[in-house]
Amino acid sequence: MAEKGQENSRQTPEDVVIRAALAEDARIVNKFFDAMGAESRALFNRTDYQRKWMLKYCDRPDPAHRYWLAVSGGKMLGFIFFSDWNTTLPVLGIGVRDDLWGMHLGSRLMDFGIEQVKLAGKGGIRLTTHIANLRGQMLYEKKGFRCMGQYTNGLEVFYLLWFKDEKALSSDGADRQA
């Protein structure tokens, strides 16, 4: 049992707002990525490409992408984005500040992102993750994603969340006629 005063020590701040990324967010985006720990860099942002793509989107939004930030007190706590937004199955990416892991912010961002994709009338969501990202894989599976297999490079796993006629996927991942 937690001691008095510690029961809220592992919870996401209550004033977190999830909102669209804006041009003026460059400073908080850079601070977020500057603070990223070694595990996050290794599993998610090896060449700093996530920062570069997010800053590019903030500067010039395009119809093929969507970025949302979780912010509190002027700080970026996490984000969720979709590439290939103009397709039936956009590609999801998500990141949470290392010091907030275990506080359910990733779950909250996933719920928000899934809802946005459903509201847009998409068929589902696809994603890849590093094979060693067990924390992420547990979250994806908890949210209903199915592991469809490992890429031939041996480093990434492919996940799919299907909204339309989820029974249409057979156990081996192949589509079948209803």
Side-chain angles (χ1 to χ4, degrees):
M1 180 176 231
E3 291 183 14
K4 188 172 183 171
Q6 292 182 338
E7 56 273 343
N8 292 326
S9 64
R10 295 296 298 160
Q11 293 180 359
T12 304
E14 292 189 24
D15 65 339
V16 173
V17 174
I18 301 174
R19 60 163 178 79
L22 305 169
E24 56 267 21
D25 288 328
R27 183 185 59 76
I28 64 171
V29 167
N30 279 314
K31 283 187 170 201
F32 176 88
F33 284 99
D34 288 346
M36 192 173 270
E39 183 179 349
S40 292
R41 289 181 200 279
L43 297 180
F44 185 69
N45 196 41
R46 289 182 292 279
T47 59
D48 213 24
Y49 64 95
Q50 294 296 346
R51 177 198 317 244
K52 293 172 190 170
W53 275 104
M54 188 176 297
L55 290 171
K56 180 180 175 182
Y57 179 85
C58 287
D59 188 45
R60 289 183 316 274
D62 70 83
H65 296 82
R66 296 289 186 278
Y67 281 84
W68 288 278
L69 310 182
V71 294
S72 174
K75 291 182 181 179
M76 180 176 155
L77 308 181
F79 65 94
I80 189 163
F81 74 90
F82 293 94
S83 60
D84 295 341
W85 184 258
N86 51 352
T87 68
T88 301
L89 295 169
V91 178
L92 176 140
I94 185 171
V96 172
R97 270 185 23 188
D98 298 18
D99 62 329
L100 298 177
W101 290 351
M103 296 186 196
H104 309 288
L105 181 58
S107 182
R108 196 165 156 195
L109 282 163
M110 290 290 289
D111 290 343
F112 176 87
I114 290 168
E115 183 65 20
Q116 295 302 308
V117 173
K118 285 181 176 180
L119 288 171
K122 307 293 184 181
I125 302 170
R126 56 194 161 113
L127 66 86
T128 61
T129 190
H130 194 283
I131 193 134
N133 185 4
L134 301 179
R135 182 181 292 108
Q137 292 174 42
M138 287 175 21
L139 174 62
Y140 307 142
E141 290 173 13
K142 179 180 174 187
K143 295 300 177 182
F145 284 79
R146 287 182 61 185
C147 181
M148 304 308 287
Q150 187 175 337
Y151 277 90
T152 56
N153 67 12
L155 297 176
E156 294 179 303
V157 182
F158 176 71
Y159 277 87
L160 178 65
L161 177 63
W162 192 253
F163 301 146
K164 303 199 182 218
D165 190 16
E166 293 182 17
K167 295 177 185 170
L169 286 178
S170 66
S171 61
D172 67 0
D175 287 333
R176 56 179 181 204
Q177 300 294 326

